[in-house]
Amino acid sequence: MRMNTLSPAEGARQERKRVGRGIGSGLGKTAGRGHKGSFARSGKGKIKAGFEGGQMPMHMRLPKVGFRSKIKGDTVQVMLYQLDKLEGDIDFAALRAAKLVPASAKQAKIVKKGEVSKKLVLKGLLATAGARAAIEAAGGKIEE
C-alpha cells in the first residue's frame, strides 16, 4: 500500500446534487421538490409547532382551566416572627429598609407563622386573620 494508491471506500463520498440545472440533469424544473405545497416553497417546509394544517389546533380546542392573578407578584408575604426583629412603628418603608420585602413588591401581607412577643403597631399593611389576632393578643394594633 502506498500513499498515492489510497482512496475512500466505494460509495463513501457522494457529489452534491446540483438542482435546477436543466431537463438533462434529472433535477430540472421543480428541482426535486414536487409541485406546490409547503415543501416546494423556500424555507423547505418550516411549519410552526402546533400547526395542524389550518384545523383548529389542539391547544385552542381544549378548555382553559383556572385563573392566574396579574397582581400576585406585587404582594409579598412577611412572616410574623420576622417582625419581632423590628422596632417601633412598622410600615411598608420599614419592611423594605429591613430587606424583608424586595424592590419589585408593591404591598406586603403579614402571615401568621411563628410568634410575636412585643407590642407592634402596623401601618398600611395587610394581615391575615390569624396574624391580626396574634398581634392584638400581644398588645399591638393594625392601622389601615
Side-chain angles (χ1 to χ4, degrees):
M1 186 189 332
R2 296 217 170 110
M3 292 294 278
N4 65 334
T5 61
L6 290 177
S7 63
E10 195 65 39
R13 295 172 75 63
Q14 288 184 317
E15 284 189 26
R16 74 181 182 89
K17 288 181 183 173
R18 298 192 66 222
V19 298
R21 291 294 180 271
I23 199 168
S25 69
L27 289 169
K29 193 180 169 223
T30 56
R33 287 171 174 255
H35 292 277
K36 300 185 183 174
S38 65
F39 288 93
R41 315 283 188 222
S42 66
K44 190 89 164 83
K46 290 226 167 84
I47 299 166
K48 287 182 178 153
F51 182 68
E52 297 183 19
Q55 173 177 295
M56 187 62 71
M58 182 65 78
H59 67 90
M60 292 174 78
R61 289 198 303 265
L62 294 173
K64 307 297 174 271
V65 179
F67 168 75
R68 288 174 192 253
S69 174
K70 288 182 171 54
I71 62 165
K72 182 183 171 192
D74 295 345
T75 306
V76 176
Q77 291 183 349
V78 179
M79 308 303 170
L80 202 56
Y81 69 87
Q82 293 174 314
L83 296 180
D84 232 7
K85 301 169 190 168
L86 302 176
E87 297 293 327
D89 291 358
I90 300 168
D91 60 349
F92 189 71
L95 292 176
R96 188 167 275 171
K99 297 194 175 168
L100 294 175
V101 172
S104 61
K106 293 190 176 84
Q107 59 185 357
K109 187 169 196 171
I110 311 304
V111 180
K112 185 180 186 251
K113 185 171 183 183
E115 299 296 320
V116 64
S117 58
K118 57 176 115 169
K119 195 173 173 180
L120 298 173
V121 178
L122 302 179
K123 292 183 179 176
L125 295 173
L126 303 170
T128 62
R132 187 179 294 270
I135 290 166
E136 288 169 354
K141 61 180 179 173
I142 299 172
E143 297 174 2
E144 299 302 319

